């Protein structure tokens, strides 16, 4: 029996995710919430949580505010996630998502979070080396960078991973994504808007998106997955390109839906799935997250059921 794959995620700008249900929410007036929940969040944290839901062993690293880390430590303990976060002074930021099911509108209010320093980044890098002392198979770099860190912060982790024989997944945006792409990570998951920023062009149809994905693969990316929002996602590798699309049966919240797809991609790679199987299951992960309030997945059987509703078309 082969050993379980060793997976780690890095979240440099985590967040306390507060999801508020407020029917009839509108601006410039008093709104009443009917419920709310608070979760340990941040893109890499969410990816780790979804992988742990599928019984993968995961280590989380990054920068966590020491003033309010109890929510995170409890969450990691409950899911069996190894907590190797570096603690920094101050509090982890809060992201608020206001969900109005009456109008199917979701309003985000994201806070900037505490600033970080070069010393903080070096602490994460040192901890990664310690955590990976017995080897590491997958490293997921996800989310925005906190104020104070340079745009090439992910670059150093990708270069380290390549020397360590570890595959990297990058899910970020803007200049940090552009710089990260120069280091040729194994998997990238931009959305259409982010890819337009990198490559230019219209990118309005799945054919145009697939062509852009092929450009990334030809430049050395192993797998490019481009999210098209309600129009699904395009998956491109040396195997080919497929457009995956499925109707979400119910949208409770969009929190973590993209992160669930990243977790599905890692899960699929670990299981040795081909491109079509990978597109199905990772989209199933995303659909599952859409049906839950907060960053979580339904039961595994439900995720697998949702994956079978995904339609695939070559592009």
């Amino acid at each position: 029996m082969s050993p379980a794959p060793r997976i780690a995620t890095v979240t440099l700008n985590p967040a306390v995710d507060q999801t508020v249900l407020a029917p009839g929410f509108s601006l410039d007036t008093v709104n009443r919430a009917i419920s709310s929940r608070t979760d340990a969040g941040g893109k890499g944290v969410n990816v780790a949580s979804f992988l742990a839901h599928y019984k993968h062993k995961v280590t989380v690293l990054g920068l966590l505010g020491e003033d309010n880390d109890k929510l995170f430590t409890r969450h990691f303990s409950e899911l069996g996630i190894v907590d190797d976060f570096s603690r920094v002074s101050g509090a982890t930021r809060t992201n608020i998502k206001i969900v109005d099911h009456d109008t199917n509108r979701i309003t985000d209010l994201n806070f900037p979070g505490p600033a970080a320093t070069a010393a903080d980044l070096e602490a994460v890098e040192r901890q990664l080396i310690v955590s990976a002392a017995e080897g590491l198979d997958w490293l997921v770099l996800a989310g925005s960078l906190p104020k104070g860190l340079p745009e090439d912060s992910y670059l150093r982790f990708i270069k380290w991973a390549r020397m360590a024989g570890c595959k990297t997944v990058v899910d970020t945006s803007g200049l940090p994504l552009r710089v990260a792409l120069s280091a040729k990570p194994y998997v990238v998951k931009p959305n259409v808007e982010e890819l337009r920023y990198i490559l230019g062009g219209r990118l309005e149809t799945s054919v145009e998106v697939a062509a852009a994905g092929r450009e990334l693969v030809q430049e050395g990316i192993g797998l490019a997955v481009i999210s098209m929002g309600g129009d699904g996602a395009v998956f491109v590798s040396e195997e080919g390109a497929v457009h995956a699309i499925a109707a979400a049966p119910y949208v409770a919240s969009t929190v973590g839906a993209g992160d669930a797809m990243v977790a599905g991609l890692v899960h699929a790679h670990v299981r040795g799935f081909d491109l079509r199987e990978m597109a199905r299951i990772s989209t199933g992960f995303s659909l599952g997250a859409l049906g839950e309030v907060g960053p979580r997945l339904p039961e595994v059987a439900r995720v697998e059921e949702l994956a079978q509703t995904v339609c695939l078309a070559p592009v």
Side-chain angles (χ1 to χ4, degrees), residues 66-143:
E66 59 188 3
D67 290 356
N68 60 344
D69 71 340
K70 287 186 173 55
L71 175 68
F72 289 84
T73 55
R74 182 170 62 250
H75 176 74
F76 298 147
S77 176
E78 289 172 352
L79 292 182
I81 294 170
V82 178
D83 177 11
D84 279 346
F85 263 99
S86 300
R87 267 52 176 184
V88 296
S89 61
T92 297
R93 67 189 176 128
T94 297
N95 286 344
I96 301 173
K97 194 172 289 284
I98 303 170
V99 180
D100 180 2
H101 287 154
D102 289 351
T103 60
N104 290 323
R105 290 177 178 171
I106 300 175
T107 303
D108 292 315
L109 182 61
N110 292 348
F111 289 73
T117 66
D120 294 328
L121 188 63
E122 289 170 3
V124 176
E125 192 172 28
R126 287 196 301 271
Q127 184 58 55
L128 174 60
I129 294 170
V130 172
S131 302
E134 296 182 2
L136 188 66
D137 299 297
W138 287 91
L139 179 64
V140 179
L141 307 167

Side-chain angles (χ1 to χ4, degrees), residues 18-42:
Q18 184 175 11
T19 306
V20 180
L21 300 185
F25 175 79
S26 61
L27 301 177
D28 298 323
T29 187
V30 175
N31 293 276
R32 299 192 183 278
I34 60 172
S35 68
S36 70
R37 65 170 299 120
T38 302
D39 297 282

Side-chain angles (χ1 to χ4, degrees), residues 38-272:
T38 302
D39 297 282
K43 294 184 74 63
V45 171
N46 293 342
V47 171
S49 300
F50 297 139
L51 286 169
H53 183 77
Y54 257 73
K55 307 305 180 185
H56 292 286
K57 298 298 183 183
V58 193
T59 298
V60 286
L61 303 104
L63 301 172
L64 198 59
E66 59 188 3
D67 290 356
N68 60 344
D69 71 340
K70 287 186 173 55
L71 175 68
F72 289 84
T73 55
R74 182 170 62 250
H75 176 74
F76 298 147
S77 176
E78 289 172 352
L79 292 182
I81 294 170
V82 178
D83 177 11
D84 279 346
F85 263 99
S86 300
R87 267 52 176 184
V88 296
S89 61
T92 297
R93 67 189 176 128
T94 297
N95 286 344
I96 301 173
K97 194 172 289 284
I98 303 170
V99 180
D100 180 2
H101 287 154
D102 289 351
T103 60
N104 290 323
R105 290 177 178 171
I106 300 175
T107 303
D108 292 315
L109 182 61
N110 292 348
F111 289 73
T117 66
D120 294 328
L121 188 63
E122 289 170 3
V124 176
E125 192 172 28
R126 287 196 301 271
Q127 184 58 55
L128 174 60
I129 294 170
V130 172
S131 302
E134 296 182 2
L136 188 66
D137 299 297
W138 287 91
L139 179 64
V140 179
L141 307 167
S144 60
L145 298 176
K147 182 180 179 181
L149 293 188
E151 306 291 357
D152 65 351
S153 294
Y154 284 139
L155 196 64
R156 61 202 296 167
F157 292 103
I158 299 170
K159 290 180 177 179
W160 173 88
R162 181 174 290 110
M163 290 188 295
C166 169
K167 292 182 171 66
T168 51
V169 182
V170 174
D171 185 13
T172 187
S173 60
L175 189 53
L177 174 61
R178 184 192 291 273
V179 176
L181 286 174
S182 69
K184 306 298 184 289
Y186 188 73
V187 178
V188 294
K189 196 200 74 65
N191 60 35
V192 170
E193 291 75 17
E194 291 161 353
L195 198 56
R196 283 195 193 108
Y197 170 80
I198 300 296
L199 299 179
R202 295 192 315 159
L203 303 185
E204 293 177 358
T205 69
S206 61
V207 172
E208 291 169 343
V209 171
R214 288 189 182 92
E215 184 176 334
L216 293 177
V217 171
Q218 289 168 359
E219 291 176 355
I221 304 297
L223 171 69
V225 180
I226 302 99
S227 171
M228 300 180 68
D231 292 326
V234 172
F235 296 71
V236 185
S237 74
E238 290 186 347
E239 287 184 56
V242 294
H243 181 199
I245 189 166
Y250 171 68
V251 179
S253 169
T254 56
V255 175
D259 308 327
M261 179 168 280
V262 173
L265 293 171
V266 176
H267 169 73
H269 270 99
V270 166
R271 294 292 177 84

